[in-house]
Amino acid sequence: MPANRFNGFNDYGVGIGLRVPHYDHIFAEKPVVDWFEIISENYMVDGGRALQILDQILDRYRVVQHGVSMYFGSAQPLDREHLKRLKTLTRRTKTPWLSDHLCWGSVDGRYTHDLLPMPYTFEAVRTTAARIREVQDFLEIPIAVENVSSYAEFHQSEMTEWEFLNEVVETADCGILLDVNNIYVSSQNHGFDPFEYVNRVPAERVAQIHIAGHSKFEKYTLDTHDHPVLTPVWRLYGRAIERVGHTATLLEWDDNIPSFDEVHAEALKATQYLETSKSPDVTATLTSQDAREVVHP
């Protein structure tokens, strides 16, 4: 099940995001890493240092592309020039699948650079799925859409978030990048059961999983990506792996970035879940090093 058509039939292990502060360590130490995730938009250029670094990485490591500006939920036409540059990059990296977010963030050519939540309506399903199909057909590789963390909801929504996700991926016939940290964050902000979300997702469509750290404030929980994964997210990840099996997993750490070794060690905690993915006790497998919830004022 994990190696499926939505991840190009590739059974990857645990990856981390390729970040500038780690370049020197990676090239000097050549650490063993299953794969790196890159932000596509950082490398959609004609030349320069970014592509030189990327080519050095590609000489030694597998790379999967992750986007932040496709805005599948926006109503405006797709940017054809953006798609052409993206396709050029996918051919360079040979990424087996490409992911981006199930959100909107642009109006009339103006970009917010935010991942804004969708209204969960059937009209939004049709519009979003059509855009995903168009991108998938143009790029000629599988697309996996990521659920985002959210801090507001629309009164006109006609279904739950997981029902909306399911409708979109079935209509578009695409994969899912299941971000369990985002599920947990949204569940705290909107008062739903995160395990029900994970239990309702079509397991056969999950191409990849994201884990990350978040921050709990007095009135809301924020997806910060600036410290280790917290215990409730590990538990939710355990349930996800129990359902979908051994699936490519990526640790996101994008702010207050520590040493490469610290980030890599945190990512590799996922290995215990992947290795025991066939065990019914997987959800109970937690290390003594798991971080605890911290409430910020």
Side-chain angles (χ1 to χ4, degrees):
M1 176 168 50
N4 55 45
R5 64 188 177 94
F6 305 109
N7 53 29
F9 298 100
N10 287 278
D11 193 3
Y12 282 17
V14 178
I16 61 176
L18 182 63
R19 299 294 180 261
V20 173
H22 296 155
Y23 285 172
D24 289 344
H25 178 91
I26 293 168
F27 295 134
E29 303 298 328
K30 299 178 176 59
V32 176
V33 181
D34 288 344
W35 56 285
F36 283 104
E37 184 183 82
I38 66 167
I39 302 302
S40 298
E41 288 77 3
N42 291 340
Y43 302 92
M44 291 167 58
V45 293
D46 295 326
R49 183 170 185 262
L51 288 185
Q52 291 175 355
I53 293 292
L54 178 58
D55 286 340
Q56 287 180 264
I57 293 293
L58 290 169
D59 283 342
R60 188 175 182 89
Y61 299 100
R62 301 182 295 190
V63 163
V64 175
Q65 287 181 218
H66 181 55
V68 295
S69 65
M70 190 62 67
Y71 300 137
F72 288 124
S74 293
Q76 67 190 42
L78 292 163
D79 184 335
R80 306 306 291 186
E81 185 58 36
H82 179 91
L83 287 179
K84 290 177 183 177
R85 287 181 173 272
L86 187 56
K87 188 168 188 175
T88 297
L89 184 62
T90 63
R91 289 175 171 173
R92 190 184 202 113
T93 65
K94 295 180 175 59
T95 182
W97 71 92
L98 179 136
S99 60
D100 211 309
H101 301 81
L102 186 57
C103 70
W104 69 283
S106 59
V107 177
D108 296 330
R110 295 180 179 272
Y111 292 83
T112 65
H113 301 293
D114 284 313
L115 307 176
L116 301 177
M118 303 282 298
Y120 306 135
T121 66
F122 288 103
E123 180 182 5
V125 167
R126 291 189 292 270
T127 301
T128 303
R131 288 167 63 87
I132 295 170
R133 278 186 175 274
E134 185 177 350
V135 171
Q136 196 161 240
D137 290 345
F138 183 85
L139 295 181
E140 301 178 289
I141 58 173
I143 297 293
V145 294
E146 178 184 353
N147 57 288
V148 299
S149 57
S150 63
Y151 311 92
E153 294 180 300
F154 292 87
H155 291 299
Q156 64 265 45
S157 289
E158 300 168 341
M159 63 194 88
T160 65
E161 181 185 337
W162 55 89
E163 289 170 336
F164 179 76
L165 173 63
N166 294 353
E167 289 284 347
V168 168
V169 299
E170 292 290 343
T171 305
D173 193 23
C174 69
I176 297 171
L177 195 176
L178 191 67
D179 191 313
V180 293
N181 183 64
N182 286 351
I183 291 174
Y184 181 79
V185 167
S186 295
S187 77
Q188 297 302 291
N189 292 330
H190 304 312
F192 63 80
D193 181 355
F195 285 91
E196 182 177 5
Y197 193 131
V198 169
N199 289 338
R200 296 295 187 90
V201 168
E204 71 279 2
R205 288 186 178 271
V206 176
Q208 182 186 337
I209 298 177
H210 272 175
I211 52 177
H214 63 265
S215 297
K216 189 174 180 61
F217 294 85
E218 184 177 358
K219 295 184 178 180
Y220 62 92
T221 302
L222 188 64
D223 182 32
T224 50
H225 295 188
D226 62 356
H227 57 260
V229 180
L230 299 178
T231 297
V233 176
W234 281 123
R235 292 186 177 129
L236 198 59
Y237 175 67
R239 175 55 185 157
I241 292 301
E242 185 178 36
R243 286 205 65 225
V244 307
H246 192 292
T247 300
T249 298
L250 188 284
L251 170 71
E252 297 182 291
W253 200 319
D254 302 318
D255 201 4
N256 296 326
I257 301 174
S259 69
F260 177 90
D261 287 338
E262 184 174 342
V263 173
H264 196 202
E266 181 67 15
L268 290 177
K269 290 179 183 178
T271 304
Q272 63 181 308
Y273 296 92
L274 296 176
E275 291 178 346
T276 59
S277 60
K278 295 182 181 180
S279 168
D281 298 327
V282 66
T283 54
T285 307
L286 292 170
T287 69
S288 59
Q289 298 174 326
D290 284 336
R292 305 298 170 188
E293 284 275 28
V294 178
V295 178
H296 299 271

